[in-house]
Structures are given as structure tokens and as C-alpha cells.
Amino acid sequence: ATEIFACYRKICSDPFPNSLKDGTARALTKFSAYQLAKYRGETKQFSLVDLVNITHPKNTGAITQLVRGTLKNKDTWEARISECRGVSTSDEWYKILSENRLGYLALLRNVWNILSSSPISKIKVCEQLVNPDVIRRSLVFPFQINTALQEVEGMDRGVSEALDKALEISLQNIPTSKKKTLVVVDSSGSMLEGGGIKNCPIKKAALFAASLFKKNLDCDLMQFSEDASYIHLNGRDSISTLSKKIQD
């Protein structure tokens, strides 16, 4: 909701239309205290308090607390970890994972933190990383999983293998092309510059190309620099293996 208002303000000089204000007001009354606390957006151009002042929704206890600044966000994983205040977070991470309180994207972003502070959570982390239903609902793409894979590289073989498997599962979130497709990768010298060893452009391009090839085996792969040539790959290889072959 806050992003909608920010977008409208950026592209329109007109006042906010009544339809937008009325719809938002009705939506705000349906949000729980947990949702209002988690997404209050105090650092954004429009916070939820701003929206309350603009749209004047019917008062609920949660909205009153939001406006008064007394609504505390105590039931999220962020709050629970921050409340440890220097004390070991190992048990808390384990509880959060056991209760399935960590979304998939949040799990990817915190794999390194979890393993560093809570080795006992490794099994839970691996189980959730390769859950097909969770991956499908999260709409995560291979490049997002690959970022986590790079972070834990050399840290734990089991978790790296789980992330590698998750890469394959995440292909279900890539749309399938119904037509013959050509994927062309720029392999010129400039693609080797910037981003450091892990994030240079050629690595990203190769990952995208490998994902598209694996998703739609009817596509052709080419690479170009001073000239262009086809790349012939085995569709049975993993995304990671295909990506490395494209870079070679």
C-alpha cells in the first residue's frame, strides 16, 4: 500500500483519488497488529501512519496503537533475534526454523548467519532449503539461490549441496517459452571486470543462460566476443555445471 501511494505521487501531480483512499482505508482495517507492526514502513516516503492520516480508516485497536507509536513488533524473527542482545542466538534460530517462521528469501539471506551462530540448525536449514512447495510459493529464481550458495561456499558441504538442489527446484518458477529460443552470452573481456571474483558479469550471465537452457531444452545457446559460436551442452547436467561450462 505504501509503495502504491509513493508510485502515484511520483507519476501524478493530481491529489490522491477517492477510490484509492477508500480502498486503502478498507484494507488497513483488515490488517492484524502483526502486519501493521511489521510493514509500518517508517523509513519510506509514505509510512502506514501517513496512509492512516490520508485515508482515515475506521479505528481498530491496532490502528490506534500504530498511530500512537505503541505498536511493537515482537513476533517476527527479526525481533526475536535482536532481543538476544549479545547472548547466543543458537537456540533462538533453531526455534524459529522449527516453527517455520522464516520465509524462504529471509532464509537465503541468513544462511551464513544461522550456520555461524547455530550449527545445530543445519538439518532444519537443509530441509527447508529443498522444500519444493516453499520454493514455488516464494517465487524465488535461481540467481537468488546462487547468491546464498556463493556466501556459504567452502563453509558446509551439506548446505552447499542443498542449495545446489534448490537451484534445480527453482526452475519451476521460470516461465516456459513455447517458441524456439536463442540465448546469447556476451563473453568479451569487459564481462570479466567489476563485481569481484564472485560477482563478475560473466558469472551472472552464465547462470541466467544455464537456467534458461535447463528450463527450455529447445533453446539454442551462443556466446560472442570478437566472433560468435554455438555452445553445445548436456541438458542432464546441473545448473551449476552448465554455468561453469558456459564460462569456460
Side-chain angles (χ1 to χ4, degrees):
T2 56
E3 290 172 354
I4 290 172
F5 273 76
C7 181
Y8 186 91
R9 175 56 54 85
K10 184 173 181 62
I11 63 178
C12 299
S13 57
D14 301 331
F16 295 116
N18 289 333
S19 57
L20 176 59
K21 292 193 288 187
D22 291 344
T24 303
R26 289 196 298 271
L28 288 173
T29 62
K30 298 177 182 178
F31 293 158
S32 66
Y34 168 82
Q35 290 172 310
L36 290 174
K38 185 173 182 180
Y39 299 107
R40 51 192 166 196
E42 293 173 341
T43 61
K44 294 186 175 183
Q45 181 182 359
F46 287 94
S47 67
L48 283 183
V49 173
D50 293 330
L51 264 56
V52 170
N53 293 330
I54 293 171
T55 64
H56 306 293
K58 291 181 180 179
N59 242 334
T60 65
I63 288 178
T64 299
Q65 287 181 290
L66 173 71
V67 174
R68 291 177 178 174
T70 59
L71 191 62
K72 301 300 181 184
N73 191 3
K74 295 183 178 180
D75 198 31
T76 64
W77 67 266
E78 297 99 329
R80 289 169 61 173
I81 292 299
S82 65
E83 284 179 1
C84 291
R85 296 176 183 175
V87 181
S88 173
T89 58
S90 180
D91 291 341
E92 198 60 48
W93 274 123
Y94 188 82
K95 290 177 184 177
I96 290 170
L97 290 166
S98 299
E99 297 166 5
N100 292 317
R101 299 306 300 269
L102 202 62
Y104 196 81
L105 284 174
L107 175 61
L108 290 178
R109 293 169 184 150
N110 284 280
V111 168
W112 191 90
N113 293 331
I114 296 171
L115 294 179
S116 297
S117 60
S118 180
I120 64 172
S121 297
K122 173 185 171 179
I123 294 177
K124 291 289 183 184
V125 168
C126 291
E127 287 176 353
Q128 295 183 24
L129 283 174
V130 297
N131 187 315
D133 292 333
V134 174
I135 292 175
R136 176 180 52 80
R137 290 196 301 270
S138 71
L139 299 179
V140 68
F141 288 126
F143 77 91
Q144 294 167 296
I145 296 175
N146 187 66
T147 298
L149 184 57
Q150 290 178 327
E151 288 297 320
V152 300
E153 188 175 6
M155 185 179 188
D156 188 283
R157 181 176 177 180
V159 174
S160 293
E161 290 177 350
L163 284 165
D164 211 35
K165 184 176 179 180
L167 269 176
E168 305 297 316
I169 299 173
S170 68
L171 284 174
Q172 64 185 318
N173 294 332
I174 298 177
T176 301
S177 173
K178 296 181 181 180
K179 297 182 179 181
K180 186 73 173 177
T181 306
L182 174 66
V183 178
V184 187
V185 181
D186 180 357
S187 58
S188 59
S190 61
M191 294 290 284
L192 302 174
E193 301 172 357
I197 297 176
K198 291 183 178 181
N199 294 305
C200 64
I202 188 60
K203 289 185 177 291
K204 300 296 184 184
L207 178 69
F208 272 81
S211 301
L212 292 170
F213 173 78
K214 185 83 172 180
K215 177 68 177 186
N216 180 17
L217 293 179
D218 194 33
C219 83
D220 289 331
L221 276 176
M222 293 189 73
Q223 61 181 359
F224 74 93
S225 179
E226 296 177 353
D227 55 11
S229 60
Y230 283 100
I231 308 173
H232 302 287
L233 300 175
N234 187 341
R236 291 189 294 271
D237 286 340
S238 68
I239 294 177
S240 295
T241 299
L242 291 171
S243 178
K244 290 176 182 176
K245 287 183 177 180
I246 292 172
Q247 293 176 59
D248 293 339

